[in-house]
Amino acid sequence: SRPILDMSYSRHFLDFQGSSIPSSMKKLVVTKLSQNFREAVTLRQDSPVPLPGDGDLLIRNRFVGINASDINYSAGRYDASVKPPFDIGFEGVGDVVALGLSASAHYTVGQAVAYVKAGSFAEYTVVPSKEAVPLPSVKPEFLTLLVSGTTAYISLKELGELSEGKKVLVTAAAGGTGQFAVQLAKKAKCHVIGTCSSDEKGGFLKSIGCDHTINYKTENVESVLRRDYPEGVDVVYESVGGKMFDLALNSLATKGRLIVIGFIAGYQNSTGLPPIKAELLPAKLLKKSASIRGFFLNHYFSEYKMALKHLLKMYERGDLVCEVDFGDMSPEGKFTGLESVFRAVDYMYMGKNIGKIVVELPHSVNSKL
């Protein structure tokens, strides 16, 4: 018989290790709209631990993911109607510690799960059971797939039209989602070019199959592309924006496709937008019969579970590298605890990470009751 905790009767309950779940917890809350994460977000020390409803799971978060768009969320750019205070953080991996009666038909206390839902920067999060993804174990590598991996997988599948021999340029290739774009394009037998900001990142990219790395700090990306790919590139997976967008656009081959999955170069601006040379855009596209496609994961949730399932299988077979960056090389060391989310966001915007930035939330088990 598996343990079922019906939360409808009691505020005080046990988790699966027999320790008491506290009545209060730490969480991060947006208290002021700003693209400056430190100004926008407050660490609350004594928020009530939420109670799961009939179809919900209460998850104790063990690992949470940092995304470039966390500062778009703290600036209120996704939904102008939402006013502070509101919870922040998009994705988490953890253990089910309590659940509603209906949810217990599919889940059990102690199960490892992942989820994508606003409010993951907290010690505990309530997630509808239908939105949770069961995992074989609680591992930070699984977190890399939730947003970063699925973004690369679905956008390249739906918009990339990849086929053998195509030339694919991935910008910010050693980042959280770039690492997957590189690997998936290689698996489609494409020739992959990746831009990055250090020789160390270039070495990582070569280790995951990137054919040609360009260090934009020491090389002129445009002239390298013009020299080595005079006919242009067929697909660009673009997440930087600004000058990099202009350069990528100019480097497209005839019938080339540019997929915009973000423009991190502008997120710290008051508008959230990096300037681009857009006046010539129609002429440039027409001249090459080229196209630009935007990709926002929320519009592709019908594909989401299939994509994640496929990526999880690839990882478990050893066919996919899921690089995690815990900030061990950052000045103050590993990102541990919600307090370190602020440092982790800074680290991302300094361009230091190789792979997906993940924060660990350690949990000390209370004495047994």
Side-chain angles (χ1 to χ4, degrees):
S1 67
R2 62 186 182 187
I4 294 174
L5 292 178
D6 176 2
M7 288 305 308
S8 57
Y9 301 109
S10 170
R11 270 199 164 270
H12 303 288
F13 46 96
L14 303 180
D15 76 4
F16 65 96
Q17 290 170 313
S19 63
S20 66
I21 293 173
S23 56
S24 65
M25 66 171 185
K26 293 179 185 174
K27 71 173 179 177
L28 295 185
V29 177
V30 176
T31 49
K32 172 191 170 186
L33 294 182
S34 172
Q35 74 278 5
N36 181 324
F37 194 83
R38 287 178 181 273
E39 278 183 13
V41 177
T42 302
L43 175 62
R44 294 253 169 98
Q45 301 279 354
D46 54 355
S47 295
V49 171
L51 290 176
D54 180 59
D56 297 334
L57 310 174
L58 179 67
I59 296 165
R60 184 176 65 216
N61 293 314
R62 297 269 298 282
F63 300 102
V64 294
I66 304 295
N67 291 283
S69 47
D70 288 330
I71 71 172
N72 287 332
Y73 201 67
S74 70
R77 289 177 182 145
Y78 291 141
D79 186 349
S81 68
V82 178
K83 303 294 180 222
F86 55 85
D87 297 347
I88 191 166
F90 291 132
E91 55 188 340
V93 166
D95 312 289
V96 176
V97 290
L99 70 172
L101 206 53
S102 297
S104 68
H106 303 287
Y107 287 91
T108 181
V109 165
Q111 193 163 353
V113 292
Y115 65 91
V116 175
K117 178 181 178 285
S120 70
F121 292 162
E123 291 178 319
Y124 296 86
T125 303
V126 165
V127 176
S129 61
K130 64 180 185 297
E131 292 175 22
V133 179
L135 296 175
S137 61
V138 174
K139 282 174 75 172
E141 286 78 8
F142 293 132
L143 188 63
T144 67
L145 301 173
L146 296 182
V147 172
S148 300
T150 55
T151 293
Y153 181 91
I154 299 169
S155 65
L156 289 174
K157 178 174 173 283
E158 297 290 319
L159 310 177
E161 297 173 38
L162 301 185
S163 58
E164 187 171 352
K166 295 287 187 193
K167 294 182 280 294
V168 179
L169 171 65
V170 180
T171 63
T177 188
Q179 64 171 328
F180 295 112
V182 167
Q183 293 178 80
L184 294 168
K186 274 309 290 178
K187 290 191 188 308
K189 299 183 176 169
C190 297
H191 175 90
V192 184
I193 310 131
T195 69
C196 61
S197 61
S198 71
D199 292 341
E200 188 192 359
K201 291 184 180 187
F204 165 68
L205 289 173
K206 288 194 172 99
S207 77
I208 59 171
C210 195
D211 297 290
H212 189 164
T213 62
I214 308 173
N215 180 342
Y216 64 80
K217 292 279 177 79
T218 58
E219 300 174 83
N220 182 307
V221 180
E222 193 151 22
S223 45
V224 171
L225 289 172
R226 203 180 295 125
R227 181 193 71 211
D228 295 345
Y229 306 95
E231 299 294 308
V233 296
D234 301 297
V235 179
V236 183
Y237 184 84
E238 216 296 271
S239 61
V240 177
K243 289 176 181 169
M244 189 64 83
F245 171 88
D246 289 329
L247 185 157
L249 177 67
N250 293 339
S251 304
L252 282 177
T254 301
K255 297 184 181 175
R257 294 172 295 287
L258 193 158
I259 304 170
V260 176
I261 63 117
F263 31 91
I264 189 172
Y267 293 168
Q268 291 177 302
N269 300 345
S270 56
T271 62
L273 298 167
I276 58 168
K277 295 174 182 167
E279 309 85 36
L280 299 173
L281 190 60
K284 286 179 178 179
L285 295 177
L286 180 63
K287 186 179 175 185
K288 296 177 175 177
S289 292
S291 62
I292 299 175
R293 300 288 300 271
F295 178 87
F296 188 47
L297 185 60
N298 291 18
H299 299 146
Y300 286 85
F301 273 152
S302 59
E303 310 285 314
Y304 182 80
K305 288 223 165 162
M306 171 278 299
L308 187 56
K309 197 172 170 184
H310 187 82
L311 290 166
L312 285 166
K313 276 185 187 155
M314 284 177 74
Y315 172 68
E316 285 167 358
R317 283 199 311 262
D319 289 343
L320 199 62
V321 172
C322 297
E323 188 69 15
V324 172
D325 192 332
F326 277 119
D328 295 293
M329 306 307 290
S330 66
E332 294 171 60
K334 185 176 177 178
F335 302 134
T336 305
L338 287 170
E339 301 82 357
S340 68
V341 168
F342 298 95
R343 280 199 302 121
V345 171
D346 290 344
Y347 181 76
M348 168 172 278
Y349 278 90
M350 288 187 283
K352 300 289 188 190
N353 58 301
I354 295 180
K356 174 83 177 183
I357 302 176
V358 173
V359 174
E360 182 172 6
L361 305 185
H363 175 73
S364 55
V365 177
N366 303 335
S367 58
K368 300 278 188 272
L369 295 185

